[in-house]
Amino acid sequence: MPGLLRVGRGGGSSSLFGEGFKLSVRRYASQSSAAPVKERRRIAVLGGGISGLTMALQLVRRLPTHDIHLYEAKKRVGGWVESEKIKVGGDLALVEGGPRSIRPASLPGLAMMSLVRSLGLEERMLSIPKTHPSAKNRYIFHSGKVNLLPNSLASAFLAVLTNRPPRLRSIIPALVHDFRTPPDLGAGAESVEDFFRRRLGPAGLKIIDNAMSAVLHGIYAADTKDLGIRSIFGFLALAEKRHGGLIRAAMPTRWNRFYRTDEEISKDNATAREMIAKEKQEGIEQLELEEQLGKATVNYMKTTSIFSFKEGIQELTNAIEEDIVQRGVTIHRGDPIKEIRASPQRLAEIVLQGGDECKFDRVVSAMPSNDLAAVWKDDPALVHLLKTDTSTVAVLNLAIRSPNPLRVPDGFGYLVPRASVDTNTLGLLGVVFDSAAVPGQESSEGNITKLTMMLGGPFFRKGFTVFDQLQSLGPGSWGLALKTKGNDDDDVPQQVQELTSMAIDTLCQNLGIPKEVLAQSAIKAKLRLQVDCIPRYDRHHLERMKELHHVLKHQEPKGGCLTLIGASYTGISVNDCVLNASRTANLLADDEGTGARGIITGLEHLAQ
Ligand SMILES: Cc1cc2nc3c(=O)[nH]c(=O)nc-3n(C[C@H](O)[C@H](O)[C@H](O)COP(=O)(O)OP(=O)(O)OC[C@H]3O[C@@H](n4cnc5c(N)ncnc54)[C@H](O)[C@@H]3O)c2cc1C
């Protein structure tokens, strides 16, 4: 329903991003009120994904006289952010190899909005309002078909009553179990699965199998057993401590015998203390950002479900790249970091694979932690703390140009839960209906249908087609021009061609698209095998991060010059990466400004 789509400033209303917003808040502001630092110290940022780019940008804005260098192993910056135009039937279709949409909600969303505004990109935004069908309609593959998930109280009630797929009736005994089960205030590091099993009982397991696993497949490409509750749903873990349960969190406190004040729950409980402190800190940051952005923008964001840009998410990284180059950041591309060494006088030396060696006053690593571990070398205990489990995902973009638009359900897409594993031999995590989810990125909108199939994650293992076909190939991307009777690209490996054909067959089956319709269409496919692309925060993640912070702070490896940012540590969404890079850049700039030369680990927020 393109009529509902808001482009740029809410479809032309300039007041939505009201002029005269305050720049008084320094934490995220693009210009500091502090006097510029005169000394020309040298800072290296390693890794040119969204985290490293944001760090370089915020540093050069706050420390314009510093000598800032960004090192990226590949020829292009952006990391997993990669938007590409592919030609299909004479038209161009924009496809995303990595992130495709950004949620403007909550603190990380505000940090992103602040960045977007500071880059002058508001006019380029494609925002999808919460009233748009793609915001309301989400589907789930269950019982061999694609089912609409309840999107209102009435439809949820009906779904429970009729127990239609995805079979949510077990929610009633699950909530009764939650109500009757006293809180476990001392619960240790639990997985998402263990937490819900404890709170919701045996019926909770059915909800995980039928629905919740699908959501986590879609966001983290991981199983509920492999994710920690505090990292993924920290607010639920805190709700249990405060209110005694999940359903009780919705009750008035005076009727809830398990309700405890923050003082009560934090008295003998260090975990609760940490969670409350973090919540308070984030509340303050949120207020600051809301004040900076202004009421009109905040209200606009509240009515927005997701957004992207006219040329895809890469517009963001392109704009940062352009900005930092203009401000004097030196970008070194195509030569990976080989080693980081400590050097006398609190300097760190980085060594490139090509042989260059450079000394810096500070080194900010925005590389994935496993890549950092590979270049760290001399400290096995620290390397152990850096090691992070990851998921591998195969992303298959399809652009189909047909005489008439394909009949795809009106909505964001569908996800595949654990319960469908027997019929999911392909290893499908979910499908995004891109043309419906973010319309407005093509000129001939009506005739091109874009879909993205995500495969792998917990299914990237023996027995699933995605693994059996691709595991021998390693990371790579392949473009295919397809006809129904086979692919017409010669240099694409056989396994890629076979997997693509099987994936398209599965898609047609799931969505009921007749093969004859595809026979009349031009189809372009792009398959990317993104190896180790999404970190998995397991139940020990937060403890590991605290230990890492402690070691960096007190043992001062690499001369105490090292700061860590990026998706491996403090949140995987693009927004999380922007928030944490901005936060840490400001800590660094504040410290550089005072001349204190303190140690900033980048993990301060997790270690309070
Ligand atoms: C398929 C997919 C879909 C996603 N969808 C969404 C979404 O819709 N919304 C959302 O919010 N998030 C999404 N995400 C998550 C989000 O995109 C990532 O978590 C985020 O982009 C990570 O950014 P980063 O800068 O921390 O890391 P990266 O993007 O991994 O950047 C790290 C950089 O370091 C470089 N590097 C590595 N080793 C070296 C070395 N030795 N020397 C120099 N450089 C090195 C790498 O080349 C890379 O460019 C998705 C991720 C993937 C993979």
Side-chain angles (χ1 to χ4, degrees), residues 184-190 229-230 234 237-238 241 265-279 542-543 546 606 608:
D184 180 353
L185 296 179
E190 275 183 307
I229 187 73
R230 276 191 60 201
L238 185 55
K241 293 194 190 313
I265 56 171
S266 52
K267 208 188 291 168
D268 306 312
N269 192 321
T271 310
R273 252 194 318 276
E274 271 168 33
M275 292 164 95
I276 291 165
K278 186 164 171 277
E279 189 190 61
L542 288 176
E543 289 312 311
K546 271 169 32 187
L606 296 180
Q608 55 193 316

Side-chain angles (χ1 to χ4, degrees), residues 47 49-51 72-73 79-80 98-101 337 371 533 566-567 572-574:
I50 183 68
S51 300
E72 167 52 48
W80 294 118
R100 64 209 50 248
S101 57
I337 306 294
D371 293 337
C533 63
I572 68 156
S573 74
V574 176

Side-chain angles (χ1 to χ4, degrees), residues 39-57:
E39 194 188 343
R40 190 167 168 78
R41 301 223 317 148
R42 285 165 57 78
I43 303 183
V45 179
L46 316 182
I50 183 68
S51 300
L53 286 167
T54 305
M55 170 58 74
L57 178 71

Side-chain angles (χ1 to χ4, degrees), residues 206-430:
K206 285 196 186 142
I207 296 170
I208 294 173
D209 281 346
N210 290 338
M212 190 186 294
S213 55
V215 176
L216 295 182
H217 288 164
I219 303 174
Y220 295 95
D223 191 80
T224 44
K225 291 193 192 87
D226 299 326
L227 297 167
I229 187 73
R230 276 191 60 201
S231 298
I232 307 302
F233 297 125
F235 65 100
L236 292 181
L238 185 55
E240 182 194 25
K241 293 194 190 313
R242 254 190 204 131
H243 301 277
L246 306 181
I247 191 92
R248 284 174 183 277
M251 283 171 58
T253 51
R254 64 179 179 283
W255 295 338
N256 181 1
R257 68 193 166 100
F258 286 124
Y259 175 73
R260 301 275 180 281
T261 63
D262 285 357
E263 289 79 64
E264 284 168 332
I265 56 171
S266 52
K267 208 188 291 168
D268 306 312
N269 192 321
T271 310
R273 252 194 318 276
E274 271 168 33
M275 292 164 95
I276 291 165
K278 186 164 171 277
E279 189 190 61
K280 284 200 173 126
Q281 173 62 32
E282 287 177 355
I284 294 168
E285 290 177 72
Q286 179 147 347
L287 284 177
E288 287 179 349
L289 272 168
E290 283 178 358
E291 191 195 345
Q292 179 200 330
L293 289 165
K295 220 173 182 173
T297 303
V298 172
N299 287 340
Y300 177 72
M301 289 168 68
K302 281 185 184 152
T303 63
T304 299
S305 166
I306 53 167
F307 70 86
S308 178
F309 299 93
K310 289 174 193 167
E311 302 284 321
I313 304 289
Q314 199 179 306
E315 269 203 57
L316 182 66
T317 48
N318 287 351
I320 303 178
E321 181 184 0
E322 201 178 306
D323 196 324
I324 59 176
V325 169
Q326 259 176 22
R327 288 172 192 264
V329 172
T330 310
I331 304 185
H332 309 257
R333 306 156 199 266
D335 195 359
I337 306 294
K338 193 175 108 191
E339 200 181 339
I340 307 171
R341 296 187 196 133
S343 191
Q345 283 134 17
R346 292 201 74 174
L347 293 174
E349 185 170 25
I350 62 164
V351 184
L352 300 179
Q353 247 166 42
D356 285 355
E357 298 178 5
C358 298
K359 288 192 176 136
F360 288 93
D361 297 286
R362 286 188 188 273
V363 172
V364 182
S365 170
M367 293 155 51
S369 66
N370 291 334
D371 293 337
L372 179 63
V375 301
W376 193 285
K377 296 198 169 136
D378 54 0
D379 189 339
L382 242 160
V383 167
H384 175 71
L385 285 176
L386 285 170
K387 288 273 183 207
T388 309
D389 287 341
T390 53
S391 292
T392 290
V393 177
V395 180
L396 177 62
N397 301 118
L398 298 170
I400 305 167
R401 194 173 189 284
S402 42
N404 299 306
L406 283 194
R407 288 174 66 87
V408 171
D410 202 6
F412 188 83
Y414 70 89
L415 291 168
V416 182
R418 208 160 67 184
S420 299
V421 72
D422 291 343
T423 50
N424 183 20
T425 48
L426 189 65
L428 185 63
L429 293 165

